Amino acid sequence: MTILAILQVVVLILIVAGSVLAVWLKDLLASVIALAGASLLLALQFYLLQAPDVAIAEAGVGAALTTAIFVLAIRKTQRKEEE
Amino acid sequence: MRRWAVVAAFLIVAGGLLLGGARMRPFGAPRYDLMDRYFNARSQAEVATNNVVTAIVFDYRGYDTLGEATVLFTAVVGVALILRRLKR
Amino acid sequence: MSVVVKTIARILLPVILVFGGYVILHGHLTPGGGFQGGAVAASAVALLLVAFGPGSVKKLKAPFSILEDLGGVAFVLLGFLGIGTTFFFNLLAGSGGLFGAAAPIGPNPGVLNTGGTVPLMNWAVGFKVLGGLGAVMVLFGLFGGDDDR
């Protein structure tokens, strides 16, 4: 098992952890930031799988634009999730 | 009852994914690679671009990009219709 | 937003725009292309919107819409350029004119003046994506009054 394969497995586990955190957290702003982190790690995974085009698109759309749209939506509604 | 349904769904999906991952072909060796070899060999001579992905997206498969542009245009029109200001 | 966010946004804004332009301009040589560069440039609009509030981008709504339409029209016209052979035929590649130099075969650092219609289509799609995503962001920010909190 090479160092690259170990790095890929670590990044995949971190993606799953970030996604679970995004569902788990009650503070919606923290949840959005966890989702942005998972998206950024997904871009890193695309780069490790030798698809830099998809990595740039994922980093631009997934990590920047959706995060900004979620932040705007939270700013216009409320920050805490209701029970 | 519902908890068991969730556990069963999780086990089925995870088992299927693990089985598919275990039987996956080695990285970078697809079963059918005729078009891959064609694009890698010919794109520099035919389209004169170093980036083979761009050569495929904008030249060989231009129709797909046209469809993607149409999808984006439709999405923007939909957002503009929903979020337009009805009254001042 | 606070002073820290505004200052960092002022510094980062030209950097993001220049990187988006670089990704579009070198789309036929390095990884990236029209969509990716346009998305990177549109994230600058998102930064502007989050840092300075919707009031700062209110004037950009109509220019972004027009940019989106012009990019789409330019893309289709560039596709019609090679209609003598087929739709989306690369007429300018290797013709010696604009972006018409022949690319060296094999691994090479890349010549900017190659690619035929591909770089022009990159610019068209890049402006289209920048306009489309930017218009979506501005519409989202302006929805329900432009309160700056």
Side-chain angles (χ1 to χ4, degrees):
Chain A
M1 205 174 197
T2 61
I3 188 90
L4 202 64
I6 295 170
L7 188 62
Q8 284 181 5
V9 170
V10 168
V11 169
L12 279 175
I13 289 171
L14 284 177
I15 289 170
V16 173
S19 309
V20 169
L21 212 61
V23 177
W24 195 268
L25 287 170
K26 293 293 179 191
D27 188 351
L28 289 179
L29 200 58
S31 174
V32 165
I33 290 178
L35 194 63
S39 190
L40 203 62
L41 285 166
L42 187 61
L44 177 62
Q45 179 70 23
F46 279 134
Y47 180 73
L48 289 176
L49 288 173
Q50 300 176 17
D53 295 85
V54 192
I56 296 173
E58 174 70 28
V61 174
L65 285 176
T66 46
T67 309
I69 285 180
F70 277 135
V71 166
L72 285 173
I74 288 170
R75 194 191 276 179
K76 286 185 190 305
T77 55
Q78 60 182 1
R79 187 165 166 180
K80 294 287 179 187
E81 186 180 356
E82 286 179 356
E83 292 296 327
Chain B
M1 180 61 203
R2 197 180 154 196
R3 178 170 297 174
W4 287 112
V6 169
V7 169
F10 174 77
L11 283 180
I12 289 171
V13 172
L17 284 177
L18 283 176
L19 206 67
R23 289 172 55 82
M24 207 168 7
R25 292 180 67 81
F27 184 67
R31 182 166 288 149
Y32 305 106
D33 60 345
L34 187 66
M35 292 310 284
D36 298 7
R37 282 188 276 112
Y38 179 85
F39 287 140
N40 279 331
R42 304 285 292 278
S43 76
Q44 271 185 329
E46 286 181 355
V47 194
T49 56
N50 278 354
N51 190 354
V52 182
V53 177
T54 308
I56 293 170
V57 164
F58 284 103
D59 194 280
Y60 293 112
R61 301 282 184 265
Y63 278 114
D64 281 0
T65 312
L66 187 62
E68 181 215 348
T70 313
V71 166
L72 184 69
F73 179 74
T74 314
V76 172
V77 167
V79 169
L81 271 177
I82 290 174
L83 297 184
R84 74 190 187 281
R85 212 168 267 183
L86 289 174
K87 282 176 186 171
R88 294 282 153 190
Chain C
M1 282 282 171
S2 63
V3 179
V4 179
V5 178
K6 283 185 180 175
T7 310
I8 297 292
R10 264 191 214 105
I11 297 170
L12 276 182
L13 207 64
V15 179
I16 294 174
L17 283 175
V18 166
F19 183 67
Y22 160 76
V23 170
I24 298 175
L25 179 64
H26 288 200
H28 58 298
L29 301 175
T30 56
F35 182 81
Q36 285 89 351
V40 168
S43 71
V45 181
L47 182 67
L48 204 65
L49 199 52
V50 169
F52 297 100
S56 59
V57 288
K58 192 190 279 182
K59 287 178 187 166
L60 288 175
K61 193 170 84 172
F64 275 151
S65 302
I66 295 168
L67 204 61
E68 217 255 346
D69 301 341
L70 285 182
V73 168
F75 180 64
V76 175
L77 285 181
L78 283 169
F80 270 115
L81 205 60
I83 198 70
T85 312
T86 52
F87 196 40
F88 281 110
F89 179 72
N90 200 337
L91 192 70
L92 297 177
S95 67
L98 180 67
F99 292 118
I105 307 295
N108 60 317
V111 184
L112 189 62
N113 194 22
T114 57
T117 55
V118 172
L120 300 171
M121 281 182 182
N122 267 326
W123 279 106
V125 171
F127 278 126
K128 180 176 167 52
V129 171
L130 169 64
L133 294 179
V136 167
M137 298 294 304
V138 173
L139 282 167
F140 255 92
L142 287 179
F143 182 66
D146 47 348
D147 50 338
D148 189 8
R149 265 184 290 159

